[in-house]
Amino acid sequence: MSKQTITILQLYPRDMNIYGDYGNALVLLRRLEWYGYTPRLIAYNPGDEFPSDVDIIIGGGGQDSGQGKIQADLLSIGSRLKKLADADVPMLMICGLYQLFGKFFKTSTDEIIEGIGLLDIETYGKSERLIGNIILESEQFGLLYGYENHSGQTYLGKKVKPLGSVRMGAGNNTADTFEGARYRNVIGSYLHGSLLPKNPQIADFLIETAVVKKYGEFSNDVIDDSFAMRARRTAARRPR
Ligand code: GLN
């Protein structure tokens, strides 16, 4: 059994971790173990020292107030995160942190929460919240299932591509049919649920990218995904 280590950094779990987003960390830990690696999970909260050795970075959603709390710290580590993204480190940012990886989130009360601009996106809070189960079609990942709950509506700039197009639900906004954003190996998305238990193809994308970058090769041995497949079948039947 390999003793190769993969380190996952979870950004701001204290303030940015709602609607089950911690499940994304659990899925990465378990799948890495199943593939024979030694996973390490580090929580990063405001004021913590940013670790030097990081292979996968994840972050979750939060209330506008939680976003306000972590914003200054996020801005202080923004250039490190950008360097890591440009070095092709895989990242998954959900909802509140997806928004703040963009240029800014202008809340429905007209407060501007500046983001780090790693993703070329802008978000505007609206009075209507977009809430419910959501299904996407993604070229690379196929069908994706999740749950969205946000007031922010996000618009993509030229330097990002969408994660997928919406089959059921709202996604980034009510004006176009896109959901999420991608830049290099960074994925931003509104999909809670959590996302990875029902969409293991994205977990494997993050894992494979990290492992190949660090160790040169990855063997995607067959693992038992029957529970994930059951979760997908159930999600597919859920109403909006
Ligand atoms: N506070 C943000 C919004 O309402 C993000 C919400 C979330 O992370 N679910 O748009």
Side-chain angles (χ1 to χ4, degrees):
M1 167 120 3
S2 156
K3 282 283 167 245
Q4 292 173 324
T5 298
I6 291 289
T7 301
I8 303 158
L9 182 71
Q10 188 181 15
L11 295 179
Y12 310 116
R14 222 158 53 197
D15 300 297
M16 303 297 290
N17 182 15
I18 54 176
Y19 311 124
D21 287 339
Y22 185 59
N24 292 333
L26 297 179
V27 166
L28 291 173
L29 289 172
R30 181 52 62 88
R31 290 181 87 82
L32 277 161
E33 266 170 23
W34 281 343
Y35 288 128
Y37 296 90
T38 303
R40 208 158 61 103
L41 177 64
I42 300 178
Y44 177 89
N45 287 300
D48 286 351
E49 195 179 325
F50 196 90
S52 55
D53 177 24
V54 173
D55 303 306
I56 300 175
I57 304 181
I58 58 174
Q63 313 301 343
D64 296 6
S65 56
Q67 289 172 291
K69 273 193 213 157
I70 58 97
Q71 185 224 11
D73 192 275
L74 179 64
L75 293 180
S76 78
I77 59 169
S79 65
R80 288 187 91 138
L81 292 168
K82 281 191 215 162
K83 266 194 209 125
L84 291 169
D86 285 327
D88 287 330
V89 170
M91 307 187 191
L92 175 68
M93 294 300 139
I94 303 297
C95 204
L97 276 172
Y98 165 43
Q99 295 171 341
L100 295 190
F101 264 49
K103 294 190 203 155
F104 59 82
F105 171 32
K106 186 172 182 211
T107 69
S108 52
T109 52
D110 277 351
E111 190 195 337
I112 300 229
I113 306 180
E114 192 192 335
I116 58 173
L118 188 156
L119 294 172
D120 182 15
I121 60 169
E122 297 177 357
T123 301
Y124 299 85
K126 302 276 160 88
S127 50
E128 176 199 9
R129 285 194 81 83
L130 306 174
I131 305 176
N133 292 308
I134 172 166
I135 303 178
L136 315 182
E137 286 175 55
S138 145
E139 228 170 82
Q140 185 177 352
F141 300 115
L143 289 175
L144 298 172
Y145 301 99
Y147 169 78
E148 62 181 326
N149 185 347
H150 51 108
S151 69
Q153 298 205 18
T154 296
Y155 297 86
L156 305 184
K158 289 202 172 62
K159 291 184 219 137
V160 289
K161 293 204 162 58
L163 171 62
S165 57
V166 177
R167 189 187 259 200
M168 180 180 87
N172 281 340
N173 57 57
T174 50
D176 62 45
T177 59
F178 297 135
E179 204 294 317
R182 296 189 66 177
Y183 169 73
R184 300 183 84 103
N185 293 322
V186 179
I187 298 176
S189 171
Y190 276 108
L191 270 60
H192 301 280
S194 15
L195 175 68
L196 296 184
K198 295 195 281 290
N199 301 285
Q201 61 277 42
I202 295 193
D204 285 352
F205 163 77
L206 298 169
I207 289 171
E208 178 163 3
T209 305
V211 168
V212 169
K213 183 171 155 50
K214 191 164 194 182
Y215 296 113
E217 57 178 359
F218 174 72
S219 83
N220 191 339
D221 289 341
V222 178
I223 58 176
D224 178 5
D225 260 338
S226 53
F227 284 112
M229 293 309 128
R230 270 165 64 177
R232 288 174 69 74
R233 281 197 294 277
T234 302
R237 290 196 302 264
R238 303 274 293 147
R240 165 69 171 158

